[in-house]
Amino acid sequence: MDLIKQLINGIQVGSIYALVALGYTMVYGIVKLINFAHGDFIMVGGYVALTVIPVLVSAGLSPWLCIIVAILFCALLGMATERVAYKPLRGAPKISVLITAIGVSLFLQNLFMLIFSPNPKPFPNFLDYPPLALGENFQISFVTLLTILLSLIIMVGLQFFIQKTKMGKSMRAVSEDPGAAQLMGINVNRTISVTFAIGSGLAAVASVLYCSAYPLVEPTMGSVLGLRAFIAAVFGGIGMIPGAMVGGLLMGVVESLTKAYISSQMSDAVVYGILILVLLVKPTGLFGKNVREKV
Amino acid sequence: MLKVINLNVSYGAIHAVHGVNLEVHQGEIVSLIGANGAGKTTILHSISGLKRPSSGQIVFEGQDLVKTEPHKILQMGLAHVPEGRRIFAEMTVEENLEMGAFTRSNPQEIREDMEKIYHRFPRLKERRGQMAGTLSGGEQQMLAIGRALMSKPKLLLLDEPSMGLSPILVREIFDIIVQVNKTGMTVLLVEQNARMALSIAHRGYVLETGDIVLSGDAKSLLEDDRVKKAYLGQ
Ligand SMILES: Nc1ncnc2c1ncn2[C@@H]1O[C@H](COP(=O)(O)OP(=O)(O)O)[C@@H](O)[C@H]1O
Ligand SMILES: [Mg+2]
């Protein structure tokens, strides 16, 4: 029973990692850039939700709408970040782009420290529904259930979008060869904007789910969660969408099992150990293709 | 139909194209021949918007293309089969053709045109669900041409379609170019394979290190002593 509980726990955290990892991997796939500010979008989503929940409630609306508001806000933030910070640097050396990304991350963290103070704020528990009982002394909390189901739906939907829709196909085309994609009449700038919007929107969903499970919001919360999700993306193969999903879930499960059965201090060590092992055997990650860099 | 006027293109300090003038009329096959590094690809990239020229004009059906974005140039009716084919290797053959039709919206018509492409290239039909990266070089070139045709262009730009192909396949590809031209498609063909390119063309231009050094009727170019010596190995 305990093992199942730990597994479910791991899948819950892993789903959140996966949602965030998808943002890293989609952006990397299309512009070959690690958006180091992506973790901070989670933090922004948390503050947005925290701020709008009381407003929604006092206006007589459902607090669930905070998810939509956070998605829209983060999607716009993602597109704006790309437009203002990254687009002017297309074609610039990788190191300039990397430093800019770190700059955006620091900017967001400090901005939110200024607005909301560096102290953690409690996140309103708007998902206060009874747990689902599965037998005598085994139950799953509502937040856990919601996290797992919602993430599953989102991931299946995203996979469908990427594989089957015209927009999704054009995103794959741009990620393979932006020049050739332009020759097809694909508007590459628009495609990149949409990718940032989707990735950032996923971070917003992850944010509300995460804050509901660990109800504290603070300006630096994105760094830790972002790093974990980034590792999950690399683990699965950066740029590979199924890789981010599997990488995130695996990482959540490994972390949860290590904490439960080995030691809670060891979880990072085990996670990094597995990452290093995987990268030694397969440098491009679990789902990565062993292709050479394009000339 | 297409008029390139005094085109200059540079890569940093490298001045790759020096004041080139060329013209393509409705219904023609025009071949632009020249050795490796002469600037042929650079000219095509300037026409389709992938490379900004430093000066000059490119006029297509009365509209200047120089400041137009590539995806808009395609919509104006100009399709470019790039050097090295650049098919989407990790997408299926059919998805590649769909990308060619990206700017079109009538699914019925797209379907019909795809069937026409499959009819023209039966080997693509057999491999429609296969990843394009697994095709042979000749099949990839056919896919690149088919993909460009899916946009229903008025002018087709082809950059070295014979590159890396066996003589039999080169002939097959060139036959297809002639057939496509017979259906009313105007073609600007860039080639190092001067003999083949001039043999199917109406007119030709010879490019040497960024300058047009000769131009005229394709037949007379084939008989020109300088062309024979430099490009036909006679
Ligand atoms: N991306 C580039 N950066 C710098 N120089 C380039 C680039 N592309 C082409 N060149 C130079 O421009 C000249 C013309 O090249 P190109 O147009 O590719 O010739 P061709 O297609 O006739 O072989 C060459 O000297 C080549 O080295
Ligand atoms: Mg070339």
Side-chain angles (χ1 to χ4, degrees):
Chain A
M1 255 319 108
D2 188 54
L3 176 67
I4 295 181
K5 235 177 228 162
Q6 295 305 335
L7 273 177
I8 292 178
N9 242 335
I11 296 174
Q12 177 187 3
V13 187
S15 305
I16 293 172
Y17 290 157
L19 290 179
V20 180
L22 280 167
Y24 280 106
T25 231
M26 288 175 73
V27 163
Y28 182 85
I30 209 147
V31 278
K32 308 293 177 269
L33 128 84
I34 305 294
N35 177 17
F36 270 103
H38 187 65
D40 302 294
F41 294 173
I42 307 170
M43 173 274 291
V44 173
Y47 277 108
V48 169
L50 173 127
T51 311
V52 299
I53 288 175
V55 179
L56 289 168
V57 171
S58 66
L61 295 166
S62 161
W64 282 74
L65 289 173
C66 76
I67 302 181
I68 309 286
V69 178
I71 291 176
L72 291 177
F73 193 94
C74 286
L76 286 176
L77 176 67
M79 290 196 285
T81 304
E82 192 274 328
R83 202 49 72 82
V84 175
Y86 301 144
K87 192 177 167 202
L89 291 175
R90 261 185 234 157
K94 285 226 156 94
I95 188 78
S96 321
V97 188
L98 190 69
I99 289 169
T100 306
I102 294 171
V104 174
S105 168
L106 290 174
F107 170 77
L108 286 174
Q109 289 183 19
N110 284 288
L111 180 69
F112 278 74
M113 269 184 211
L114 268 179
I115 304 177
F116 291 94
S117 96
N119 304 320
K121 292 218 177 317
F123 190 79
N125 181 8
F126 74 101
L127 297 175
D128 191 12
Y129 296 89
L132 181 76
L134 296 172
E136 278 292 299
N137 46 13
F138 184 60
Q139 51 186 34
I140 304 182
S141 83
F142 182 78
V143 174
T144 303
L145 198 65
L146 177 73
T147 303
I148 296 173
L149 288 181
L150 190 58
S151 306
L152 188 72
I153 293 169
I154 288 176
M155 288 192 256
V156 171
L158 184 71
Q159 196 60 15
F160 176 82
F161 172 77
I162 298 285
Q163 292 302 325
K164 298 291 175 211
T165 68
K166 191 165 168 178
M167 188 72 214
K169 288 176 192 178
S170 70
M171 284 166 71
R172 283 192 279 144
V174 173
S175 87
E176 242 195 87
D177 186 339
Q182 282 182 301
L183 294 181
M184 304 297 109
I186 295 170
N187 184 339
V188 168
N189 287 330
R190 209 184 104 216
T191 312
I192 292 174
S193 278
V194 171
T195 308
F196 268 84
I198 294 175
S200 314
L202 294 177
V205 177
S207 175
V208 174
L209 295 171
Y210 182 82
C211 294
S212 298
Y214 310 94
L216 277 184
V217 184
E218 56 186 321
T220 52
M221 67 181 279
S223 311
V224 183
L225 190 51
L227 183 63
R228 288 278 163 86
F230 171 63
I231 292 170
V234 174
F235 183 52
I238 189 90
M240 310 304 292
I241 286 176
M245 298 178 184
V246 173
L249 285 170
L250 272 180
M251 227 175 88
V253 170
V254 167
E255 190 186 298
S256 164
L257 294 185
T258 315
K259 273 186 181 155
Y261 298 111
I262 303 177
S263 110
S264 57
Q265 276 101 39
M266 284 292 285
S267 76
D268 275 348
V270 172
V271 165
Y272 285 99
I274 293 181
L275 175 75
I276 291 169
L277 267 180
V278 167
L279 294 187
L280 279 177
V281 179
K282 202 157 177 294
T284 49
L286 287 180
F287 283 70
K289 294 198 188 65
N290 289 317
V291 285
R292 278 170 297 158
E293 192 88 348
K294 260 186 290 185
V295 277
Chain B
M1 177 175 233
L2 177 77
K3 211 165 183 173
V4 174
I5 304 159
N6 199 17
L7 182 73
N8 283 283
V9 193
S10 300
Y11 298 97
I14 305 170
H15 192 187
V17 172
H18 318 132
V20 158
N21 292 288
L22 65 84
E23 247 183 282
V24 181
H25 306 299
Q26 174 87 45
E28 279 187 318
I29 298 180
V30 173
S31 289
L32 174 62
I33 60 170
N36 193 14
K40 306 180 296 296
T41 298
T42 304
I43 292 175
L44 287 196
H45 279 198
S46 307
I47 296 173
S48 59
L50 290 181
K51 173 77 190 153
R52 286 272 159 266
S54 39
S55 70
Q57 269 181 295
I58 300 167
V59 185
F60 179 63
E61 297 199 310
Q63 281 178 284
D64 195 345
L65 301 184
V66 167
K67 289 208 169 64
T68 315
E69 291 170 278
H71 66 270
K72 297 208 172 114
I73 292 177
L74 176 107
Q75 280 171 304
M76 292 164 67
L78 210 152
H80 179 169
V81 180
E83 181 174 284
R85 339 200 194 289
R86 289 169 72 172
I87 47 139
F88 302 113
E90 283 163 36
M91 299 174 79
T92 64
V93 167
E94 186 136 321
E95 284 171 341
N96 269 270
L97 294 178
E98 286 171 21
M99 288 298 102
F102 183 79
T103 58
R104 297 173 55 190
S105 49
N106 185 331
Q108 178 67 29
E109 283 175 29
I110 294 175
R111 203 59 251 170
E112 284 168 19
D113 284 337
M114 200 176 281
E115 285 310 319
K116 280 184 206 157
I117 302 283
Y118 283 145
H119 186 72
R120 200 185 284 287
F121 304 105
R123 270 187 283 176
L124 293 185
K125 184 167 192 173
E126 289 163 27
R127 291 162 174 70
R128 63 208 292 174
Q130 206 169 311
M131 288 297 146
T134 64
L135 299 182
S136 71
E139 289 159 356
Q140 290 192 9
Q141 188 62 62
M142 290 174 194
L143 179 58
I145 294 174
R147 186 180 67 171
L149 292 177
M150 285 301 291
S151 69
K152 285 204 143 173
K154 299 172 194 157
L155 171 62
L156 188 62
L157 310 178
L158 292 161
D159 197 345
E160 302 215 30
S162 74
M163 192 195 258
L165 301 185
S166 70
I168 297 173
L169 277 169
V170 172
R171 190 157 298 278
E172 202 173 315
I173 296 283
F174 275 64
D175 283 346
I176 288 161
I177 298 170
V178 172
Q179 282 168 30
V180 168
N181 173 252
K182 290 223 169 89
T183 68
M185 180 82 61
T186 312
V187 177
L188 174 57
L189 170 65
V190 154
E191 265 297 340
Q192 278 191 63
N193 187 335
R195 186 190 311 277
M196 286 297 284
L198 289 175
S199 69
I200 65 164
H202 301 98
R203 288 188 307 112
Y205 292 87
V206 181
L207 189 70
E208 264 173 26
T209 54
D211 290 293
I212 300 276
V213 292
L214 270 175
S215 66
D217 193 44
K219 260 200 205 88
S220 54
L221 283 179
L222 271 173
E223 276 148 28
D224 187 284
D225 284 337
R226 287 165 293 178
V227 175
K228 276 188 182 166
K229 214 162 148 197
Y231 299 100
L232 305 175
Q234 295 176 355

